[in-house]
Amino acid sequence: MLRFGTAGLRGPVQDGPDGMNVTTVTRATAGLVEWLRGRCLGGGAVIVGRDARHGSAEFATATAEIFAAAGFPVTLLPRPLPTPVVAYAVRELGAVAGVQITASHNPATDNGYKVYLDGGSQLLAPADAEIERCIDAVTEPVARTSVGPAGDDVVRHYLNRVASLPSLIGGEGARSAIRIALTPLHGVGGDLTVKALAAAGFTDVHVVEQQFEPDPDFPTVAFPNPEEPGATDLLLALATRVGADVAIAVDPDADRCAVGIPLPDNTWRMLRGDETGVLLGDCVLRTAPPDALVATTIVSSRLLSKLAPARGARYAETLTGFKWLARAGDGLVYAYEEAIGHCVDPATVRDKDGISAAVLTADLVARLKSAGRTLADQLDDYAIEFGLHSTDQVSLRLDSAAAAADVVARLRANPPDAIAGEAVEFTDLLQVRGRMRTDALIFEGATARVVVRPSGTEPKLKCYLEVLTPVESAAGLPAARTTAGQRLSALREYCQGL
């Protein structure tokens, strides 16, 4: 059976209890209804949204109608919309829960059922296990009452907020006109991202026409994930052709944002999530109140932990996932995870939001261009100020989840004293108490760091790599990058041999 875990359900659209289908969605909704009632939240407002995947319309209708029959006032969003709109609506309208039918950047065969609780944050243990027990207890036929779609008020308010971010977060100052290349990768984020950019003053936007309209088959990409090799090829080709200042991809449900930049040789490269993460973090901190909090996860770069105190801010670290990042602490103004998820406006959307990240990225590019600078120049400044932080990831697909667990168990029992020639200290996060306890291993030396953990959803072992290379001046950057590349290569070789 599909199990109700992190954020809800996700799996292939197929018949039976191991697939996403109306029966699975009906049982999940009936269980969620009982869980809410058990916490005296019966009759509270509920938001239901959907993307454009196979089955999404049918699943969203069933969800809304079951909540309505159970006495919950339901706002059924009017059309396929990005996931951040649901997160926004739950918080803005004071709803007790929200459900978005989406499988984000999963393959075309999948769909999912993502749950937000009051305040607009993803659900957190033990709520997931409690809801699953309520789902298991569903036995009787489940009533449904017809629900009509809501108007566009929520969408309009969300767009107004996103469009205001450059003045609220970026502050006042000179901005040059910029040209943007954009793709929503066949998802539901294209229309809203273009409208948000236009409302914020960025109207010179060129879109990848083959990928702009929602298409549940994702015909031009093997995997609709901006991080996958080849997924942004059409975007970067467009950016080159039109002479763009920046290239932006939002994933199919528009909760993640990837950024591409031009290079001096007229080629392009996609930034790593850690690079965009520190750029946007610094942007937010420019106008943040004193002692503001920024956060990232245990598998992300350490650069934000150095930048934050240098900008008078606090820094927090959590386990992977925005269910943790959104709860990093009081005064949170920004959070990111290396998997291109950015929360630039936690007061409004307590989850990753690719559309607001796209708008703030455009604003940053425009500000830098006014000063004759680029995102690449800004990253060079960080390298000189804090050292060059270079990251990479190795993902090993194994025969089974058990095989990945066996590799972690072997490393746990016999941790190495050195990796790629550098002495490392070993931390086992299964041995810590509280919220940081998880099945992950950290090996950290003076200038290198490796985090190893099994995937929570696939038969994979994931290794997150970082090396720190000192840089004294801009003249030393090319040599530092060469050294960093060699050291990352050595770390990759070690991890691939696990």
Side-chain angles (χ1 to χ4, degrees), residues 234-259:
L234 290 175
L235 171 67
L236 297 185
L238 172 67
T240 302
R241 191 164 61 250
V242 302
D245 295 289
V246 65
I248 295 174
V250 292
D251 74 335
D253 70 330
D255 67 347
R256 302 194 309 154
C257 175
V259 177

Side-chain angles (χ1 to χ4, degrees), residues 36 41 44-48 73 75 86-99 116-120:
L36 290 168
L41 298 173
V46 172
I47 314 298
V48 178
T75 297
V86 172
Y88 167 84
V90 172
R91 191 167 181 81
E92 175 71 10
L93 301 179
V96 298
V99 175
Y116 292 94
L117 299 183
D118 61 306

Side-chain angles (χ1 to χ4, degrees), residues 302-311 315 385-387 389 468:
R302 306 299 91 191
L303 180 52
L304 188 63
S305 70
K306 296 179 180 178
L307 182 140
R311 304 295 189 263
Y315 169 81
E385 185 176 1
F386 304 109
H389 289 69
L468 170 61

Side-chain angles (χ1 to χ4, degrees), residues 135-491:
I135 294 171
D136 291 340
V138 175
T139 57
E140 298 179 1
V142 179
R144 292 171 59 164
T145 296
S146 180
V147 176
D152 261 356
D153 285 355
V154 167
V155 180
R156 185 171 64 254
H157 294 160
Y158 168 80
L159 281 174
N160 289 342
R161 176 66 183 192
V162 173
S164 72
L165 292 179
S167 58
L168 292 174
I169 295 176
E172 299 303 323
R175 296 174 173 85
S176 293
I178 62 168
R179 177 165 294 171
I180 300 167
L182 172 73
T183 180
L185 289 177
H186 301 292
V188 296
D191 180 62
L192 251 62
T193 305
V194 170
K195 287 179 177 176
L197 287 166
F202 304 104
T203 57
D204 190 358
V205 179
H206 298 251
V207 303
V208 179
E209 296 290 350
Q210 306 99 305
Q211 299 175 333
F212 191 75
E213 295 300 325
D215 188 330
D217 293 320
F218 305 104
T220 68
V221 291
F223 296 97
N225 179 349
E227 295 181 293
E228 290 288 338
T232 57
D233 285 357
L234 290 175
L235 171 67
L236 297 185
L238 172 67
T240 302
R241 191 164 61 250
V242 302
D245 295 289
V246 65
I248 295 174
V250 292
D251 74 335
D253 70 330
D255 67 347
R256 302 194 309 154
C257 175
V259 177
I261 62 170
L263 301 177
D265 62 358
N266 294 319
T267 62
W268 284 73
R269 79 172 179 93
M270 298 302 294
L271 296 181
R272 300 191 67 84
D274 284 313
E275 293 175 307
T276 308
V278 73
L279 286 165
L280 293 181
D282 197 15
C283 180
V284 170
L285 286 176
R286 183 170 50 238
T287 56
D291 206 33
L293 177 68
V294 294
T296 190
T297 74
I298 60 169
V299 303
S300 300
S301 169
R302 306 299 91 191
L303 180 52
L304 188 63
S305 70
K306 296 179 180 178
L307 182 140
R311 304 295 189 263
R314 294 175 292 129
Y315 169 81
E317 201 169 287
T318 74
L319 298 180
T320 56
F322 268 85
K323 65 178 183 179
W324 300 109
L325 282 170
R327 298 173 172 89
D330 294 337
L332 182 69
V333 296
Y334 176 73
Y336 90 90
E337 57 184 358
E338 50 77 37
I340 60 172
H342 309 280
C343 177
V344 303
D345 186 22
T348 304
V349 177
R350 288 195 169 260
D351 198 5
K352 52 189 179 291
D353 182 350
I355 298 174
S356 60
V359 169
L360 205 60
T361 296
D363 187 62
L364 178 57
V365 171
R367 287 175 174 279
L368 288 170
K369 187 175 181 180
S370 293
R373 291 167 50 78
T374 65
L375 294 180
D377 295 331
Q378 189 70 46
L379 290 170
D380 287 349
D381 288 350
Y382 297 144
I384 296 167
E385 185 176 1
F386 304 109
L388 178 64
H389 289 69
S390 305
T391 61
D392 202 354
Q393 184 181 145
V394 173
S395 183
L396 302 176
R397 182 171 289 277
L398 303 174
D399 293 336
S400 65
D406 288 345
V407 175
V408 174
R410 172 167 52 80
L411 285 172
R412 179 173 282 121
N414 296 287
D417 296 325
I419 296 178
E422 180 171 329
V424 293
E425 295 184 357
F426 169 59
T427 302
D428 181 359
L429 291 184
L430 271 185
Q431 302 302 315
V432 303
R433 295 175 179 268
R435 285 190 170 186
M436 294 302 288
R437 187 175 187 273
T438 191
D439 188 10
L441 312 175
I442 300 177
F443 303 93
E444 191 155 12
T447 61
R449 188 172 187 267
V450 177
V451 182
V452 180
R453 70 179 184 93
S455 169
T457 57
E458 300 177 273
K460 286 183 178 181
L461 187 73
K462 293 190 174 182
C463 305
Y464 304 85
L465 320 177
E466 182 171 30
V467 296
L468 170 61
T469 309
V471 181
E472 292 186 1
S473 67
L477 277 168
R481 289 198 176 94
T482 298
T483 299
Q486 293 169 344
R487 296 179 65 217
L488 280 176
S489 179
L491 292 181

Side-chain angles (χ1 to χ4, degrees), residues 44-109:
V46 172
I47 314 298
V48 178
R50 64 180 173 97
D51 65 12
R53 284 177 175 266
H54 293 296
S56 286
E58 190 177 13
F59 300 161
T61 297
T63 301
E65 291 182 350
I66 292 164
F67 271 115
F72 291 78
V74 178
T75 297
L76 176 61
L77 295 183
R79 59 185 181 279
L81 287 166
T83 295
V85 176
V86 172
Y88 167 84
V90 172
R91 191 167 181 81
E92 175 71 10
L93 301 179
V96 298
V99 175
Q100 170 78 342
I101 305 299
T102 182
S104 189
H105 53 277
N106 273 38
T109 52

